[in-house]
Amino acid sequence: MVLGRLPLYGEPEVSPGRSQASSLSAEELVVAYHERTKHHYHRFAASVGYMDWATQPDPFRRYEGASLVRLPFPEMGQALSYWQLYVADSMEPAPLSIDSVSLFFRYALSLTAWKRFHETTWSSLRANPSSGNLHPTEGYALLPAVGAIHDRPGVYHYAPKEHGLERRADVDASVWAALMTAFPEDSFLVGLSSIHWREAWKYGERAFRYCQHDVGHALGTLRFAAAALGWKLFLLDRVDAMSQLLGLNRDANYAGAEREHPELLAVVVRGNWASDRGLCLSKEVASQGAASRWYGTANVLSPEHSVDWPVIDEVAAATTNPTTAIDEDFSGFPAEEELFEPPVRSGAFTAKKVILGRRSAVSMDASTAISAATFFRMLARLVPTRDGRSVPWDAIPWRPRIHLGLFVHRVNDLSPGLYTLARDPEKVEQLQQAMRREFLWRRPPSCPRGLPLYLLKEGDCRALAASVSCGQDIAGDGAFSLGMIADYMDSLVTYGAAFYRNLFWEAGLVGQVLYLEAEEASIRSTGIGCYFDDPVHEVFGISSRDWQSFYHFTVGGPVEDKRLTTLPAYKLEEKRSAP
Ligand SMILES: Cc1cc2nc3c(=O)[nH]c(=O)nc-3n(C[C@H](O)[C@H](O)[C@H](O)COP(=O)(O)O)c2cc1C
């Protein structure tokens, strides 16, 4: 039997709440949802509070009746170094073929290992992390005719367990050409959807947040997977016709099965094509739906749902309207040489090793320290560069709206204490006004001049970091941990309610970079979705709703769980690479 790995950071029992008033505006609904799903020291957000194993959702969606194209396990043509992922145009773009499509999904959404616990319990891990390892995110591709996949364009659902593409629909060549008219030849689309139930089963009302974090992480893995092939990926302007394009609106295909909610579409382009940062599909074609014929019926993931969480449906509905969030001016951002100490273009591992080796630490050793240079480099990866082309930030067309409140514990030559990283250098003043008056705002010694990092307060904050992260020791036992502080109200006012999702996506992207950077530094990190919202704000002196913590993270020396046996993700791949 396949069981999800369920770490013990869940919430105690709280009864499900009633839904929110329907007379609220979309923005008010978002704010009400965010408030009611905060964890407080005295009360967790509503969830059933126990694991109902009988209704545990299947982590693998399949479309019965759709034909499956099994993807091969090719070797990378060029052994790419991890650091090269960040340098656009550092390799010749791979041609579009079944091999390159296979590598793209292998690096983005595939299984990376099977774990066995006590001989009986099995769970799989993936390239993209997920809160509670519940994996609410489903992946799609809209591909042109690609030899050995199909002789005409089509809509495909990615099946991670099989590492295959389920052909969900055919698209006529002329319709495909009209749909993709704005993009260069051999471009294709990728889509992500969420099955809220998979997270809500365990986490109740807060689950919508976790689904959005997971989408952000997956957007990151997609961008890095594209980079590994010399491709670019750009998030498309929120596409209101996404359900039609991916077939998610087709009642007949979901009879009794859990619905998927559309999240995002992105275009993958080969070669040296520069986006104008506001990309659209042909609206006429997209709104009619591109496919001519659909295949397959979704599997049922749980025999029944013991509880419904109406506020999740409400916040999902309130955040579906298309939003246009395009910032063009990155002139105030640092150049690469101002952000990084040389040599920036070097590193220890290959891209493949880092991407497929990424894992969450389940426990930290409370002793490993990292150098200040490593710390600065990790943070520098999180700041877009002036040319707007640094990976993965080139995938999203808005300026950073997520900043960091850091708890530094073990970084050599740096005082332990509270720090902040303003990921948009022009936001320093506003953050200063929002935070405690008595904070120091002192630049750490030897910090690269382009890195907007400030020491706020010296002191041992290990217990504090663990305490605000739902009492999880990993937040105090690493080298550093952090809260991701969102420019929340201004984002909702500027871009509308739907941008609530984008804030989580950006937080997930930040997290994905930290996951990979930790691998490259031979340490580990872990996303932390369970934290006490307002107590975190209190630490930094944030008293208004304008700024809100959206995600936590910890980075440090891991303690391996010796009770686990790790097995390869795919038997076929293992056979292929045997001597
Ligand atoms: C959004 C999100 C929230 C998470 N929250 C926590 C957390 O609060 N505590 C924890 O120990 N792990 C947390 N994790 C780590 C997951 O448990 C982990 O990603 C999952 O078990 C899969 O393992 P892997 O990351 O090694 O693939 C979180 C991960 C994500 C993506």
Side-chain angles (χ1 to χ4, degrees), residues 261-278:
H261 296 263
E263 296 287 1
L264 59 84
L265 269 186
V267 62
V268 181
V269 299
R270 294 179 55 245
N272 207 2
W273 188 76
S275 107
D276 60 5
R277 301 189 82 82

Side-chain angles (χ1 to χ4, degrees), residues 27 80 154 169 177 445:
E27 283 77 15
L80 198 72

